[in-house]
Amino acid sequence: MGEYRQELMTLMKTEDLGNKLCVDCGVPNPQWATIPYGVFICLSCAGLHRGLGVHISFVRSITMDEWTEEQMKKMRIGGNLRFTTFMNEYAPAEQGGYREGMTIAEKYNCWAAAQYKEKLSVEVQGQEWSPSAPPPNFGQPISRPSSAQGVRKSRTSGRNSTASPLRRDSASPAPNNVAASSSSTSISDAAYERKTANEQYFTSLGEINARRRDDLPPSQGGKYQGFGSTPAPSSSSAHPSWGTSSAAV
């Protein structure tokens, strides 16, 4: 750790590499680094990088964290100036290129940043890198699968098909209730599923109880029939004092 710390401090102070200023905001004397890009960043920007997820940016302190030789190779080959130059000169810019004024999230999620990260990893392994075009769906939000919506729709349709004609022909809710009804669909479906599960559970308990004996108390395997329903013991098994007790009256 000691040798890497000194080397990292030396790299950070190397002016011709552009490392003396944070690569994102320009604050001097950056004490952090994002390893996949081999660049130095300040504490504030490091916090934003952590929010991107380690699959995008992996942040390390140059004075407090442990470093590996593989990580150090990226810092030696990289540098703030090299990264900035690549981002500014990436072409075609309309295909995932960097634009001035991008947020940190936009900057490191664009295709140009992904290409530079790949380029640096390949060079660390001593291989040659070749650029590639972004995939057709790159940068587009991932749509939510419609399977859950389809299940809810079919379940709702099934319930509506069994409804009485009077209910199907009834007037529609007032317009101001439509949004509230739509937003509560998932909650209503969840409540319906819980209700169905509870009914099935208690039905199974009732079937089990129906098979129990009537002449035994529940604690001995007899049937549950409600409070105060414990059957009276038979005369053959009664205590000698049973006949004189109030229970025998």
Side-chain angles (χ1 to χ4, degrees):
M1 173 63 187
E3 58 176 334
Y4 289 153
R5 177 178 179 180
Q6 184 60 45
E7 184 178 358
L8 286 165
M9 293 295 293
T10 301
L11 286 172
M12 185 270 292
K13 295 177 181 179
T14 305
E15 190 168 0
D16 60 351
L17 296 178
N19 296 339
K20 295 183 71 174
L21 302 177
C22 172
V23 74
D24 291 327
C25 69
V27 168
N29 196 35
Q31 298 292 304
W32 293 76
T34 170
I35 297 172
Y37 308 93
V39 296
F40 290 85
I41 55 179
C42 68
L43 176 61
S44 297
C45 291
L48 298 176
H49 275 259
R50 288 187 184 274
L52 301 178
V54 295
H55 64 293
I56 299 295
S57 180
F58 185 64
V59 175
R60 275 286 181 265
S61 167
I62 66 174
T63 59
M64 296 181 293
D65 288 327
E66 295 287 341
W67 287 71
T68 66
E69 179 61 25
E70 194 70 17
Q71 294 168 349
M72 287 300 302
K73 289 179 181 179
K74 291 187 176 182
M75 301 306 297
R76 295 175 190 132
I77 297 177
N80 291 13
L81 181 59
R82 190 181 183 211
F83 172 74
T84 302
T85 301
F86 181 91
M87 295 291 285
N88 289 332
E89 295 180 354
Y90 178 84
E94 62 273 11
Q95 294 186 10
Y98 169 74
R99 299 187 307 275
E100 192 70 28
M102 277 184 166
T103 65
I104 285 182
E106 292 171 337
K107 178 179 180 180
Y108 288 92
N109 277 284
C110 73
W111 185 247
Q115 287 283 275
Y116 184 82
K117 181 167 62 172
E118 179 184 287
K119 172 182 172 66
L120 192 60
S121 296
V122 169
E123 290 178 347
V124 165
Q125 298 171 6
Q127 302 175 5
E128 293 187 3
W129 173 78
S130 298
S132 59
N137 60 345
F138 181 82
Q140 297 180 2
I142 301 175
S143 60
R144 180 185 177 187
S146 59
S147 57
Q149 297 175 356
V151 171
R152 287 200 300 270
K153 184 180 294 185
S154 62
R155 186 185 298 122
T156 303
S157 301
R159 290 202 300 269
N160 291 340
S161 64
T162 57
S164 64
L166 178 61
R167 183 170 182 178
R168 290 199 299 270
D169 297 338
S170 62
S172 300
N176 60 349
N177 291 333
V178 173
S181 176
S182 300
S183 62
S184 61
T185 300
S186 59
I187 299 177
S188 300
D189 288 344
Y192 176 79
E193 291 175 356
R194 288 196 299 270
K195 178 176 178 295
T196 302
N198 289 339
E199 290 176 350
Q200 293 175 348
Y201 172 71
F202 287 112
T203 298
S204 65
L205 291 182
E207 294 174 352
I208 294 174
N209 187 56
R211 294 193 294 268
R212 291 174 176 262
R213 295 177 55 177
D214 294 325
D215 58 341
L216 293 176
S219 61
Q220 298 179 15
K223 182 182 297 183
Y224 290 92
Q225 298 180 355
F227 291 106
S229 63
T230 302
S234 61
S235 57
S236 61
S237 61
H239 191 273
S241 61
W242 170 259
T244 62
S245 67
S246 59
V249 178

